[in-house]
């Protein structure tokens, strides 16, 4: 019940298991200024990760990648230069940072964004992102309508029989096994 209430909210805040770092998440639709948002991310003005929600299967994938990125950060074993990029890297099934960024990063024409602010106890990072993004902040329960199981299967190289309709959670479980094996 609590999880459903959080997913219906416009912002989801959590601390991954065994972590002291707060993570804030918002989902945006009808974004009109993705190019500007990309520029702000590149310049470091926005200290968040902005990813394509079509490749996100649900909250478990977000939680898992955040926990892994934070663990890498705290153990000083990050493969990337900052926590936001590490989060994106942890979403990807391969060890290729450039491929992770290419696959998950938003484009200049993106109309929907999933924004993740790591190490954001005060909520200032997510608030700055909300202010910078011209779009609708929608309930996180809508993430399932933004997810594209076919694209996720392709990214994680999941073979599925056309007659079998894989639900997004099954796709995620198989995909996570792929990421965990790297």
């Amino acid at each position: 019940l609590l999880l459903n209430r959080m997913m219906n909210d416009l912002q989801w805040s959590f601390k991954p298991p065994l972590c002291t770092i707060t993570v804030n998440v918002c989902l945006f639709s009808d974004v009109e200024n993705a190019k500007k948002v990309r520029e702000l991310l590149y310049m470091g003005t926005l200290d968040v990760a902005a990813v394509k929600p079509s490749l996100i299967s649900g909250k478990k994938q977000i939680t898992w990648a955040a926990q892994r990125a934070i663990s890498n950060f705290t153990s000083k074993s990050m493969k990337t230069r900052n926590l936001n990029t590490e989060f994106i890297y942890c979403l990807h099934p391969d060890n290729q940072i450039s491929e992770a960024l290419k696959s998950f990063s938003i484009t200049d024409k993106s109309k929907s964004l999933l924004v993740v602010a790591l190490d954001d106890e005060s909520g200032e990072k997510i608030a700055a992102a909300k202010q910078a993004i011209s779009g609708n902040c929608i309930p996180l329960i809508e993430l399932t309508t933004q997810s594209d199981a076919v694209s996720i299967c392709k990214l994680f190289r999941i073979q599925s029989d056309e007659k079998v309709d894989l639900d997004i959670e099954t796709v995620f479980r198989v995909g996570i096994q792929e990421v965990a094996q790297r």
Side-chain angles (χ1 to χ4, degrees):
L1 181 63
L2 179 61
L3 176 59
N4 286 337
R5 187 188 61 73
M6 288 188 308
M7 292 300 283
N8 282 322
D9 291 342
L10 296 179
Q11 179 177 322
W12 176 39
S13 296
F14 68 97
K15 288 185 181 180
L18 306 174
C19 293
T20 59
I21 293 177
T22 300
V23 179
N24 289 308
V25 183
C26 284
L27 179 62
F28 292 88
S29 68
D30 303 318
V31 175
E32 298 173 358
N33 65 337
K35 183 176 181 176
K36 180 182 177 188
V37 172
R38 279 180 45 125
E39 290 169 0
L40 294 172
L41 290 166
Y42 184 74
M43 292 185 308
T45 305
L46 282 181
D47 188 11
V48 297
V51 298
K52 298 174 189 171
S54 61
L55 295 176
I56 304 298
S57 61
K59 72 163 197 71
K60 289 179 185 175
Q61 184 180 7
I62 298 165
T63 304
W64 191 87
Q67 183 173 359
R68 186 162 178 206
I70 291 167
S71 175
N72 292 350
F73 173 74
T74 56
S75 67
K76 298 185 184 345
S77 62
M78 289 197 327
K79 306 286 190 243
T80 66
R81 294 183 185 175
N82 67 53
L83 194 52
N84 297 319
T85 307
E86 191 74 10
F87 171 78
I88 295 171
Y89 170 72
C90 289
L91 289 169
H92 200 268
D94 295 328
N95 285 326
Q96 301 285 332
I97 297 168
S98 61
E99 285 299 313
L101 293 173
K102 184 173 143 184
S103 297
F104 284 95
S105 293
I106 62 171
T107 67
D108 288 349
K109 299 195 184 303
S110 292
K111 293 296 180 191
S112 59
L113 315 173
L114 181 74
V115 177
V116 179
L118 299 132
D119 198 11
D120 190 27
E121 184 77 35
S122 67
E124 290 176 17
K125 294 176 183 181
I126 202 74
K130 286 179 179 179
Q131 189 171 15
I133 297 170
S134 295
N136 299 320
C137 185
I138 61 175
L140 287 162
I141 196 82
E142 296 294 322
L143 183 59
T144 56
T145 66
Q146 303 282 325
S147 298
D148 181 357
V150 173
S151 295
I152 294 170
C153 284
K154 184 177 175 182
L155 176 71
F156 287 97
R157 292 180 218 88
I158 299 169
Q159 301 296 321
S160 66
D161 183 352
E162 290 181 28
K163 296 176 184 174
V164 178
D165 183 29
L166 292 177
D167 65 77
I168 205 73
E169 284 296 317
T170 303
V171 170
F172 170 69
R173 278 195 301 276
V174 174
I176 270 311
Q177 291 171 347
E178 292 289 320
V179 174
Q181 291 176 3
R182 69 173 171 178

